[in-house]
Amino acid sequence: MDYSLDLGAVTRNFGPLLEGLWVTIQLTLAANVIGLVLGFVIALLVMSRVALIRVPATAFVEFFRCTPAIVQIVWFFYCVPMLFNIYLGSMTMGIVALGLNLAAFNGEAYRAAIQSVPREHRDAAVALGLSPLQSTLHIILPTAFRLAIPVLLTNGIVIFQQSALVAIVAVPDLMYEAKSLATKTYRPIETFTIVALVYFAVSFPISQLVGWLERRRSVAMA
């Protein structure tokens, strides 16, 4: 293959990639806010004893966990406007789709963490005369969140990587800008290699943090 590498073709046009990275970070942060808050609510609904509450929440979780994220993104982008006459920007649609996807996975993480909350904590809340809402907000939520942090961070890394899928609906994220730059410069190898390294540079430190938290929790439990 007669192909000579020219990284300069990418580094000289790095501005659009930085702009795309900023969009990717915005998508990831917004989706994580939705996922962290809504995920806990979904966990409580899934654990409800009332079937009319539990069944729809469980169906929500299973739908988003068992269908590809790219299908969810495309569905929100094309079907929501047609079915509900709701027209939002591509960026907003991407945030909603990624946020709901993350909420489903975080919901399962929270559910497992809530079930791991020691019974003594719940009994203490009753002894203190706390209402169910107060017990949930001040005892169950903080404890479950602390237990679920490694999984929540891992899910956050996954959603950062999956945010590249919004390029298919023309959201100008890092992947979209990379495709545009590769087409313009005819340098796909250099462009996508550098973009892969950017994704790695962001994800790797967080994955190491997750490993450190898990080791610390294991030592504490031991």
Side-chain angles (χ1 to χ4, degrees):
M1 181 180 66
D2 187 14
Y3 187 92
S4 58
L5 292 176
D6 181 13
L7 295 176
V10 180
T11 57
R12 288 192 298 269
N13 297 278
F14 208 71
L17 294 182
L18 288 177
E19 294 175 3
L21 176 61
W22 173 235
V23 172
T24 294
I25 292 174
Q26 288 179 297
L27 281 167
T28 304
L29 292 177
N32 271 277
V33 170
I34 296 173
L36 289 173
V37 177
L38 184 58
F40 185 73
V41 175
I42 290 172
L44 295 178
L45 297 179
V46 168
M47 298 177 67
S48 173
R49 297 179 181 178
V50 181
L52 288 177
I53 297 176
R54 183 180 65 254
V55 172
T58 302
F60 172 90
V61 171
E62 295 304 324
F63 172 80
F64 279 95
R65 292 179 66 204
C66 299
T67 55
I70 190 170
V71 174
Q72 298 164 17
I73 292 170
V74 172
W75 192 91
F76 272 91
F77 188 80
Y78 291 106
C79 299
V80 168
M82 297 174 64
L83 294 175
F84 305 105
N85 199 32
I86 298 176
Y87 296 90
L88 302 173
S90 58
M91 180 77 169
T92 303
M93 284 295 191
I95 290 173
V96 171
L98 292 173
L100 293 179
N101 177 282
L102 182 58
F105 285 90
N106 282 354
E108 285 298 285
Y110 278 125
R111 182 182 62 80
I114 290 172
Q115 292 175 339
S116 300
V117 174
R119 181 68 186 178
E120 292 79 6
H121 291 196
R122 304 172 191 267
D123 294 339
V126 174
L128 291 172
L130 298 180
S131 67
L133 179 60
Q134 290 174 323
S135 176
T136 299
L137 293 178
H138 300 296
I139 295 180
I140 296 177
L141 174 58
T143 306
F145 181 77
R146 186 169 61 253
L147 293 172
I149 282 178
V151 180
L152 297 177
L153 287 174
T154 300
N155 291 345
I157 295 174
V158 172
I159 215 66
F160 168 71
Q161 296 165 351
Q162 286 189 336
S163 66
L165 298 174
V166 301
I168 197 173
V169 292
V171 176
D173 72 323
L174 179 57
M175 188 62 183
Y176 181 87
E177 295 294 349
K179 289 170 60 179
S180 299
L181 181 59
T183 301
K184 182 173 67 175
T185 61
Y186 299 100
R187 292 289 171 179
I189 295 177
E190 295 90 332
T191 302
F192 292 118
T193 298
I194 289 178
V195 167
L197 292 175
V198 171
Y199 279 107
F200 176 81
V202 175
S203 301
F204 182 72
I206 301 176
S207 68
Q208 295 302 297
L209 174 61
V210 171
W212 178 78
L213 289 173
E214 290 179 336
R215 289 191 297 271
R216 182 178 179 183
R217 186 176 65 175
S218 298
V219 171
M221 292 178 65

